[in-house]
Amino acid sequence: MTEKKINPVNQVSHAFAQEGALAKAIKGFSPRQAQTDMALDVAQAIDKQSSLIVEAGTGTGKTFAYLIPAFLSLNAKKPKKIVVSTGTKNLQEQLFHKDIPLIKKALASNAQVALLKGRANYLCNYRLAQYQNSRGQLDAQMLQDLVKVKTWANGTQSGDIGELVNVSEDSSIFPFVTSTLDNCLARDCPDYEACHLVRARQKASDADIIVVNHHLFFADMALKDTGFGELIPKAQVMIFDEAHQISDIASEYFGEAFSSKQLVDLCTDVLQVHRSSLTDVKQLGLAAEKLQKTCQEFRLLFNYDPERGNWREKYKQIQFQQKFENLKIDLDFLYQVIKLCVSRNEAIDNCFDRAVNLLAQYDVMANVEAYGMSFWYETTPRSVVLHQTPLTVSDKFSEVVKESGAGWIFTSATLAVNNRFDHFAQHLGLQNAKQLMLDSPFDYQRQSQLVVPRYLPQANDKNRASKLAELAQPLIKASKGACFMLFTSYRVMHQVAEILAENIDNPLLVQGKMAKRKLLEQFVEQDSAVLLATASFWEGVDVRGDKLTCVIIDKLPFASPDDPLLQARCEDARRQGGEPFSQIQLPQAVIALKQGVGRLIRDVSDRGVLVICDDRLVNKPYGETFLKSLPEMKRSRDINNAAKFLESLS
């Protein structure tokens, strides 16, 4: 008698039905056809291990539409290991701590699920022991934080530093008590058996479903390419949520990076070894301190404010070339001194390996004429990172997908441009993937208005900020706060914030004044608050109901023409006879705008006004591409109409 095969399609349909598992587990659940359609296609892609691209409009319920078929597939005779990758650590935590437990309960599943983060999120016992015995390099605040870390370390099971609520997220202590790929001693570490990262990886290795984030996924993929990475165990199914981000992230990890921070970290660790166990080698301390000083001098050549720019152009300037060559001279000298100490202990051997790798990375960044690459830099207040990024990853990524034989599922609320997936699919070499586009279930005509105001000054006009603030005031008053103003530039954001502070009584929350999470908490808690923010608030922010009824966007979010990676991609498109604006700049801006627009209507009962302060939406031929990609909202050019609509909501 043959064993009856479980039909995954029937199981999925039943889970989403009126009397199904979700309806029994979730109060108020009602079936949505778009959600069921997506779930059935995901189930098929998992079963056949094929590729699928899905744009699921806001409100489709895409999280359950991929998680339910993932869990049900584990009931098959040969269950598949599944990796779910999200855009941010916050979304990763929400999936693991909120959505997955609910689904496990609804399906009565005993599947093993693991949360895996990058190594910088885990306490390193070895480095903690090193630095608590040698405190010369720590200031008063860092010493206070070190005491808190040590107390927590005695009781933690996971070693996940996210548990440390009493230490600031950006505390300077974390680099001293976590490891990097460079300074990890791996199997040579005396604390290897108790290593939190190793244990987290082991849990992931044993799990049926592993929840990661895009940066970790691609960092691991890039490492596997060189034969080192085994962070994410080999899986048969990969599911990417917020997939619109992965083209740029993949480019970053398929490239190379070289930072002055890596050099400074190496020097810090060499000085630590010198002070604790190799005091007889005076040259170690001298060489490390000399390289540290040269790193500081190299950073000082760049502007004080953090920026991104073209490294090829900078390298042509004599002062940059000379300082960069000084880095090589001092790094080489440190390498020669470390070489004399090899085999004296594991820590100095690790420093030697890092010096060798850094010399090789240096040579990559000095070869600025390499073909098919963008060379660019970015600065933080203390360091400089040089990048060599491939202009396209389509060949490499499509090869990985093909060779894996796995199912690859990509979903987001914003993948299509002008109702087509060409931009997303071509960038990743996914032209053969099945495509599915699902509209949002929301009634945008009834729930919202889109306003494009008339007579606004041009983007570079000195009166632009005052006009934006003037336009916003009646809308803020009508919505009683509950308003987001999203900007494409910090400068304009701060100018508008200054003007509004003098003219309205509402609490003003401005990005940069506090952590993003804290800013959002205050926005929800404070009645009538107005939040002013830039790029990072255009996506991944979920404020529902009457807490947010008005979103004002200052202009169409075209990437800065000075962005070095964009410049290089445009140049490459031109060389191949393409049209950079329509192929690269326009699709990027459309997807970014769709993300910003998606902040407004988050639920069937939400209502509100979207104001886009950019005439190009109606005056330029390409404006039609933007409008076709946005939800079908009721349109107006009259701010007074919008204010009346907002007043009617209260």
Side-chain angles (χ1 to χ4, degrees):
M1 187 174 157
T2 56
E3 191 178 329
K4 190 177 176 187
K5 192 184 174 191
I6 295 168
N7 185 328
V9 172
N10 289 349
Q11 280 194 314
V12 169
S13 293
H14 182 259
F16 288 94
Q18 190 75 54
E19 302 295 323
L22 286 175
K24 287 172 185 168
I26 302 168
K27 196 178 176 182
F29 176 84
S30 57
R32 280 169 270 184
Q33 191 57 50
Q35 188 179 42
T36 307
D37 289 346
M38 176 175 168
L40 290 170
D41 272 15
V42 169
Q44 191 177 45
I46 291 173
D47 188 45
K48 294 185 174 177
Q49 291 182 216
S50 56
S51 295
L52 171 69
I53 300 170
V54 187
E55 175 169 290
T58 310
T60 306
K62 63 182 166 60
T63 306
F64 281 19
Y66 63 73
L67 283 178
I68 293 282
F71 272 90
L72 289 174
S73 74
L74 301 173
N75 298 335
K77 249 207 274 190
K78 281 190 175 177
K80 300 171 174 73
K81 188 180 277 287
I82 297 170
V83 170
V84 178
S85 183
T86 69
T88 61
K89 279 191 285 189
N90 284 349
L91 184 54
Q92 199 183 349
E93 300 252 354
Q94 184 187 311
L95 276 181
F96 185 75
H97 295 296
K98 187 178 166 193
D99 299 327
I100 285 174
L102 199 156
I103 287 171
K104 281 185 76 171
K105 190 177 174 186
L107 299 178
S109 168
N110 59 2
Q112 295 297 304
V113 185
L115 178 71
L116 187 60
K117 299 180 181 178
R119 66 165 62 243
N121 294 280
Y122 297 98
L123 173 73
C124 172
N125 294 316
Y126 174 74
R127 288 177 66 77
L128 175 63
Q130 267 197 317
Y131 282 98
Q132 69 189 33
N133 294 331
S134 169
R135 300 177 174 192
Q137 296 166 63
L138 309 182
D139 60 31
Q141 183 58 55
M142 288 165 75
L143 282 170
Q144 278 180 32
D145 288 346
L146 182 65
V147 171
K148 291 173 185 172
V149 171
K150 194 180 168 190
T151 306
W152 162 78
N154 292 329
T156 182
Q157 293 298 306
S158 70
D160 183 343
I161 61 173
E163 296 173 356
L164 267 163
V165 290
N166 60 347
V167 178
S168 164
E169 282 178 24
D170 57 358
S171 168
S172 302
I173 198 61
F174 287 128
F176 291 89
V177 297
T178 57
S179 70
T180 64
L181 190 64
D182 289 335
N183 64 30
C184 175
L185 301 182
R187 290 187 182 276
D188 293 330
C189 179
D191 288 304
Y192 184 78
E193 294 302 321
C195 176
H196 293 296
L197 178 62
V198 170
R199 286 179 175 177
R201 289 178 182 176
Q202 190 55 53
K203 269 190 185 169
S205 183
D206 297 339
D208 302 303
I209 295 178
I210 310 152
V211 183
V212 301
N213 59 63
H214 300 339
H215 283 278
L216 174 59
F217 185 92
F218 285 102
D220 188 54
M221 183 186 279
L223 283 171
K224 275 184 180 154
D225 208 38
T226 60
F228 294 115
E230 276 306 325
L231 260 178
I232 300 165
K234 189 164 172 58
Q236 289 81 45
V237 180
M238 321 288 178
I239 301 173
F240 294 90
D241 198 344
E242 302 294 321
H244 61 279
Q245 301 175 1
I246 67 176
S247 176
D248 284 344
I249 295 172
S251 296
E252 189 182 321
Y253 284 105
F254 282 137
E256 299 268 355
F258 173 84
S259 75
S260 61
K261 184 182 182 302
Q262 285 175 294
L263 296 175
V264 170
D265 286 350
L266 172 63
C267 294
T268 303
D269 289 347
V270 167
L271 287 167
Q272 165 63 25
V273 178
H274 169 58
R275 288 171 185 145
S276 60
S277 58
L278 297 177
T279 49
D280 56 312
V281 190
K282 284 187 180 168
Q283 288 284 51
L284 263 184
L286 295 172
E289 283 166 357
K290 182 144 193 324
L291 179 55
Q292 273 183 333
K293 186 167 179 288
T294 309
C295 287
Q296 288 168 357
E297 290 167 356
F298 184 60
R299 171 62 185 92
L300 288 171
L301 284 177
F302 295 83
N303 288 335
Y304 174 77
D305 291 324
E307 63 174 4
R308 297 172 72 167
N310 188 321
W311 173 236
R312 271 196 182 106
E313 296 300 318
K314 279 277 190 259
Y315 191 72
K316 287 175 186 169
Q317 298 175 36
I318 192 70
Q319 73 269 36
F320 283 92
Q321 202 172 117
Q322 281 177 346
K323 256 318 168 230
F324 192 56
E325 283 170 4
N326 289 349
L327 280 180
K328 171 78 177 275
I329 292 163
D330 291 348
L331 175 57
D332 192 60
F333 176 51
L334 180 60
Y335 156 79
Q336 298 293 348
V337 178
I338 297 172
K339 194 175 175 183
L340 300 172
C341 306
V342 165
S343 298
R344 288 190 58 178
N345 60 39
E346 289 96 344
I348 202 68
D349 288 357
N350 171 264
C351 291
F352 177 73
D353 292 340
R354 288 156 67 187
V356 171
N357 289 334
L358 285 164
L359 283 165
Q361 285 172 289
Y362 176 96
D363 290 339
V364 169
M365 298 308 157
N367 180 23
V368 292
E369 298 310 318
Y371 182 71
M373 297 287 176
S374 166
F375 284 87
W376 55 285
Y377 68 85
E378 58 184 334
T379 60
T380 69
R382 292 183 179 181
S383 65
V384 182
V385 189
L386 306 179
H387 296 270
Q388 182 215 55
T389 304
L391 299 179
T392 175
V393 295
S394 61
D395 293 347
K396 204 160 189 177
F397 190 76
S398 60
E399 191 182 314
V400 168
V401 169
K402 190 177 170 186
E403 283 184 4
S404 71
W408 294 72
I409 296 149
F410 307 88
T411 185
S412 170
T414 56
L415 290 177
V417 176
N418 208 358
N419 296 318
R420 294 173 64 91
F421 287 116
D422 298 5
H423 175 71
F424 178 78
Q426 284 168 9
H427 266 274
L428 293 170
L430 297 170
Q431 285 88 335
N432 296 325
K434 182 176 180 181
Q435 300 178 352
L436 178 67
M437 193 176 303
L438 300 165
D439 290 333
S440 168
F442 300 149
D443 182 352
Y444 282 97
Q445 281 284 327
R446 183 185 62 81
Q447 290 178 250
S448 61
Q449 278 191 14
L450 167 63
V451 182
V452 183
R454 289 189 171 93
Y455 315 125
L456 277 169
Q458 293 300 303
N460 55 358
D461 191 301
K462 66 179 191 300
N463 297 318
R464 170 90 178 168
S466 60
K467 191 68 182 173
L468 285 174
E470 182 188 316
L471 173 152
Q473 285 173 56
L475 297 170
I476 291 168
K477 185 180 177 185
S479 64
K480 299 184 173 66
C483 177
F484 268 13
M485 290 190 76
L486 299 176
F487 296 87
T488 52
S489 111
Y490 277 99
R491 182 179 57 82
V492 177
M493 177 184 77
H494 287 303
Q495 287 174 342
V496 171
E498 277 180 31
I499 298 165
L500 287 179
E502 291 175 11
N503 290 283
I504 63 172
D505 297 324
N506 305 62
L508 274 186
L509 300 168
V510 183
Q511 186 183 348
K513 298 283 170 71
M514 62 188 83
K516 180 178 177 179
R517 196 186 304 172
K518 190 78 180 156
L519 214 56
L520 277 173
E521 279 172 14
Q522 293 216 0
F523 179 77
V524 172
E525 284 167 13
Q526 292 185 33
D527 289 335
S528 76
V530 178
L531 189 145
L532 282 70
T534 62
S536 62
F537 278 79
W538 285 61
E539 59 180 279
V541 173
D542 190 4
V543 180
R544 297 180 182 227
D546 58 5
K547 286 292 179 185
L548 179 60
T549 56
C550 181
V551 173
I552 302 169
I553 291 175
D554 78 325
K555 64 180 177 127
L556 296 176
F558 285 104
S560 163
D562 297 332
D563 183 275
L565 191 52
L566 177 69
Q567 284 178 345
R569 282 180 176 155
C570 290
E571 184 54 44
D572 191 57
R574 271 191 289 271
R575 274 205 302 267
Q576 294 180 38
E579 213 292 300
F581 181 77
S582 59
Q583 281 177 247
I584 297 163
Q585 291 163 285
L586 182 60
Q588 277 184 1
V590 168
I591 286 169
L593 182 66
K594 283 172 77 172
Q595 280 292 332
V597 169
R599 296 318 99 215
L600 181 65
I601 304 296
R602 307 294 298 171
D603 212 331
V604 285
S605 57
D606 284 3
R607 300 182 76 191
V609 166
L610 170 72
V611 185
I612 302 177
C613 305
D614 197 325
D615 268 336
R616 291 176 293 181
L617 207 55
V618 287
N619 293 341
K620 295 283 186 185
Y622 60 75
E624 194 60 30
T625 304
F626 282 100
L627 291 170
K628 277 184 183 172
S629 300
L630 295 180
E632 280 287 329
M633 296 177 164
K634 202 177 286 176
R635 292 181 197 165
S636 167
R637 301 209 67 184
D638 189 341
I639 287 290
N640 294 325
N641 271 352
K644 282 176 189 166
F645 179 71
L646 286 169
E647 281 167 1
S648 74
L649 303 182
S650 53

